[in-house]
Amino acid sequence: MQAVQLEESITIAERMFQLIRRMYPICRSITGHGVRQTLEIISEYIPLTTYEIQTGVALFDWTAPKEWNIRDAFIKNSKGEKIVDFRNCNLHVLNYSVPVSKKVSLEELKAHTFTIPDHPDWIPYRTSYYAENWGFCLSHNQLLALSEDEYEVVIDSSLQDGHLTFGEYFIKGQTEHEVLISTHICHPSLANDNLSGIAVAVFLAKHLTQVASLKHSYRFLFTPGMIGSIAWLSRNESQVSRIAHGIIIACVGDSGQITYKKSRRGNAEIDHAVLQVLKDTGTTHQVLEFSPFGYDERQFCSPGFNLPVGCFMRTPHGKFPEYHTSADNLEFIQPQYLGDSLSKCSMILQLLEQNATYMNLNSKCEPQLGKRGLYGSIGGASDGRSLELAMLWVLNWSDGDHSLLDIAEKSGLKFLTIKNAADALHASGLLRRQ
Ligand code: ZN
């Protein structure tokens, strides 16, 4: 397969940004109509299958939660003026707030209020999924402006038996070995954390549908964070051994450098593939070892599964001040960074598709490359030397145990150079594909 080309990625980047702009106003949560509406929009781009799990269904140590929906919310002062309005910003409501409609004192209101004193203009994003509560998230300046008064607080929400919803898109390849791409879809108006991952995953899937022949099958998951991946794993436990490689995509639209968090295994092919792409493209990046917090790698890499799933990010969650605040908005992300993230992810998949293991059929001393037209006659003048060198590396390590990716790592050469060398040697009958 071909990776997304740079020129193409510029146009796609604008389209990803448009998709994010459409999804941004929706009040999403781990359940409810916001998730469904988001999946419907994604379905316009790729043919998604949507699953609904009833409230109360056991999911390993968890149960599918009650479904939460919200229509409106506000705080009014005694003059009847709306001083906080959910319709202006859906972050104003503590996500999963139970319904409330009552008059409260300033003191009681403050007990149900969340702010960020260090960033007095920003509204925090807070949730209370598993403990019933109600609350409002305000800018700290809004809080400071509140005087002694009687306030009317209304949260027109419902928390009832319903469903947990998630979406899945499967692309069948030549083998049952799957690449899992997963992203969370449970945050309301937050652009980098949640929407950037959705956009990159959607356009990665769209790109793959245009590839004529794929070695791997691909499974894209769009699930509410944590409980969604727990639900998927509990329903698909018997099939997870098919997952050969996996990437969680999150926070991929900001200007920060790329961050890759390794799988729990730490030496899975996906871990090596990501690092090879970042090295080959000269991308400044950071690598994090696995840790049991973060996104859905927590579930896929729980010890009972221990799947080869890493996490691809730019600036990691919690490491940018805008994280989980109203400042993670449409100005915080930029099309060029979305495009770069998409391009890098597609290169990673391309490498996984192209990686292979060969057996040298002429392994007793070096074969004569010259008489086969392979020495001094391959490729352009500038690349010729490295191709010859690459052929020597490929011949030496194609013992059936080392993949092209392994050989690229050992040689320090680019994966593509190693792959081109292997193609030439294979065409000359010097290699057999394992
Ligand atoms: Zn988040």
Side-chain angles (χ1 to χ4, degrees), residues 302-373:
S302 57
F305 288 108
N306 199 23
L307 294 169
V309 176
C311 183
F312 184 96
M313 300 169 276
R314 298 188 78 91
T315 308
H317 51 88
K319 299 291 182 194
F320 50 98
E322 296 84 354
Y323 173 75
H324 281 189
T325 77
S326 55
D328 181 0
N329 56 25
L330 295 172
E331 279 80 55
F332 183 61
I333 59 165
Q334 285 182 38
Q336 69 186 93
Y337 304 121
L338 294 165
D340 181 60
S341 299
L342 175 72
S343 168
K344 296 292 168 2
C345 286
S346 74
M347 285 180 194
I348 294 161
L349 301 186
Q350 182 186 38
L351 192 154
L352 294 172
E353 286 287 311
Q354 292 177 337
N355 194 23
T357 302
Y358 291 90
M359 181 63 88
N360 180 349
L361 299 173
N362 196 115
S363 60
K364 290 184 177 161
C365 299
E366 292 177 10
Q368 258 196 62
L369 298 177
K371 75 177 183 190
R372 295 176 171 87

Side-chain angles (χ1 to χ4, degrees), residues 125 184 187 190 193 295 323-324:
Y125 160 59
H184 62 293
H187 291 27
L190 294 171
D193 185 7
Y295 293 106
Y323 173 75
H324 281 189

Side-chain angles (χ1 to χ4, degrees), residues 221-264:
L221 300 183
F222 298 89
T223 60
M226 191 155 177
I227 193 70
S229 53
I230 292 172
W232 189 86
L233 282 162
S234 82
R235 289 171 63 106
N236 293 278
E237 194 175 356
S238 62
Q239 296 177 41
V240 295
S241 60
R242 292 181 189 168
I243 298 172
H245 322 283
I247 314 176
I248 308 294
I249 300 179
C251 297
V252 283
D254 66 284
S255 63
Q257 68 176 359
I258 287 172
T259 301
Y260 177 67
K261 177 179 165 183
K262 288 184 185 177
S263 72
R264 181 176 180 272

Side-chain angles (χ1 to χ4, degrees), residues 114-124 126 138-140 324-325:
F114 304 86
T115 69
I116 316 169
D118 288 346
H119 293 284
D121 292 327
W122 297 357
I123 304 161
R126 296 285 182 271
L138 276 61
S139 74
H140 198 63
H324 281 189
T325 77

